[in-house]
């Protein structure tokens, strides 16, 4: 069945889009990028969800092509049962090799299972795999910067030290978003220079580029560079 799905993906190839995508993902081999636009992949996932074809496809890891990983991620986004989603997600996460698949993987079922999600986030934040770690930070950013925010979450992220560019960029993204949503709680991480120097500078840059951070706050953050 994987062959049929792969043939379908090739049939929807857009070579111009393929060339554009290749430039954005230096960690992915150019030969692994077919060039299928995201709306097509999302529509395919919606059509395939809860089918036997999808089940077989998701069991056949690792995939060969970037778009197969993208489709796999979008199928996970459509999973309706939390435990089933986590079982399939745990099997898939080690095979993620790029920021795009990592960041577009956001299962809808997580929205109703925040407390169930937290133990998994703890595991992901302890991972040595850069994209599992990035995913864990991303889930804290998506689900725990609003009504379920707790000061211990930015503390966890602030302690992370990595040589991986895509991990450090996600840490900066997390704190920039936190400055927009929980300014008073997370500002001490910036004033106290609690972050890696590169992450510190990138956090301020991203916060100052955000339309959700006030001009007053942006000016103060500028002074902390």
């Amino acid at each position: 069945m994987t062959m049929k799905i792969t043939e379908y993906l090739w049939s929807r190839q857009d070579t111009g889009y393929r060339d554009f995508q290749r430039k954005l993902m230096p960690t992915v081999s150019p030969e692994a990028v077919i060039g299928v636009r995201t709306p097509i992949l999302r529509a395919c996932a919606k059509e395939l969800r809860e089918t036997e074809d999808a089940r077989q496809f998701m069991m056949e890891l690792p995939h060969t092509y970037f778009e197969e990983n993208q489709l796999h991620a979008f199928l996970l986004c459509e999973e309706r049962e939390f435990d089933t989603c986590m079982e399939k997600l745990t099997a898939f996460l080690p095979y993620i090799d790029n920021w795009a698949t990592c960041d577009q993987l956001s299962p809808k079922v997580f929205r109703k299972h925040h407390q169930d999600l937290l133990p998994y986030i703890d595991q992901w934040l302890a991972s040595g795999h850069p994209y599992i770690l990035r995913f864990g930070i991303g889930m804290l950013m998506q689900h725990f910067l609003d009504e379920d925010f707790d000061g211990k979450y930015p503390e966890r992220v602030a302690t992370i030290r990595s040589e991986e560019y895509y991990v450090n960029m996600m840490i900066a993204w997390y704190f920039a978003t936190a400055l927009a949503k929980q300014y008073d709680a997370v500002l001490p991480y910036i004033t106290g220079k609690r972050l890696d120097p590169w992450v510190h500078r990138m956090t301020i840059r991203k916060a100052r580029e955000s339309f959700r951070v006030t001009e007053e706050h942006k000016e103060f953050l500028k002074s902390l560079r």
Side-chain angles (χ1 to χ4, degrees):
M1 181 48 60
T2 297
M3 182 58 67
K4 292 181 181 179
I5 290 176
T6 305
E7 288 174 355
Y8 170 78
L9 295 176
W10 276 104
S11 75
R12 305 309 300 269
Q13 182 185 50
D14 180 328
T15 56
Y17 186 67
R18 175 201 64 194
D19 296 342
F20 171 73
Q21 285 286 88
R22 285 175 172 175
K23 296 176 183 177
L24 296 178
M25 298 181 298
T27 61
V28 178
S29 168
E31 291 74 25
V33 181
I34 297 172
V36 183
R37 292 182 178 272
T38 298
I40 294 173
L41 294 169
R42 290 190 184 277
C44 184
K46 289 183 180 295
E47 182 176 345
L48 286 173
R49 66 182 180 184
E50 299 182 353
T51 66
E52 180 62 21
D53 289 348
R55 189 189 70 80
Q56 292 186 23
F57 170 75
M58 296 173 81
M59 289 178 61
E60 295 174 1
L61 290 166
H63 299 303
T64 301
Y65 297 103
F66 164 72
E67 284 79 5
E68 291 176 323
N69 282 327
Q70 288 288 87
L71 178 58
H72 196 130
F74 294 146
L75 284 167
L76 285 169
C77 291
E78 298 296 326
E79 285 288 345
R80 297 175 179 176
E81 296 294 331
F82 180 80
D83 290 341
T84 300
C85 181
M86 295 309 307
E87 180 180 354
K88 294 179 178 180
L89 177 64
T90 300
F92 178 62
L93 281 176
Y95 297 100
I96 296 179
D97 62 358
N98 68 89
W99 66 266
T101 303
C102 181
D103 294 359
Q104 290 180 302
L105 174 54
S106 182
K108 299 173 185 176
V109 72
F110 285 2
R111 300 169 190 167
K112 297 181 179 180
H113 290 271
H114 281 184
Q115 294 308 308
D116 296 324
L117 182 59
L118 282 170
Y120 291 97
I121 290 179
D122 287 339
Q123 295 175 27
W124 300 331
L125 293 182
S127 175
H129 187 297
Y131 292 104
I132 296 178
L133 178 51
R134 181 180 170 104
F135 181 73
I137 300 168
M139 290 301 98
L140 271 183
M141 182 176 69
Q142 288 185 39
H143 297 287
F144 296 93
L145 281 179
D146 295 300
E147 61 272 12
D148 287 338
F149 175 77
D150 189 301
K152 65 186 178 184
Y153 302 144
E155 181 68 28
R156 288 291 310 277
V157 179
T159 62
I160 296 171
R161 292 293 182 270
S162 174
E163 298 298 321
E164 296 284 344
Y165 171 82
Y166 288 105
V167 172
N168 287 327
M169 183 59 79
M170 179 57 81
I171 297 172
W173 187 7
Y174 172 87
F175 276 98
T177 305
L179 284 167
K181 293 188 171 187
Q182 302 288 346
Y183 182 81
D184 291 336
V186 300
L187 183 61
Y189 291 92
I190 310 303
T191 57
K193 298 187 181 296
R194 297 277 309 281
L195 307 177
D196 168 87
W198 185 91
V199 174
H200 174 90
R201 293 191 298 272
M202 184 58 65
T203 296
I204 293 174
R205 175 181 170 183
K206 293 178 76 66
R208 295 187 71 240
E209 292 172 349
S210 172
F211 67 90
R212 294 181 293 181
V213 176
T214 69
E215 291 303 317
E216 179 184 0
H217 289 168
K218 287 179 182 180
E219 284 304 308
F220 181 62
L221 289 169
K222 183 179 179 180
S223 72
L224 300 174
R225 292 184 298 184

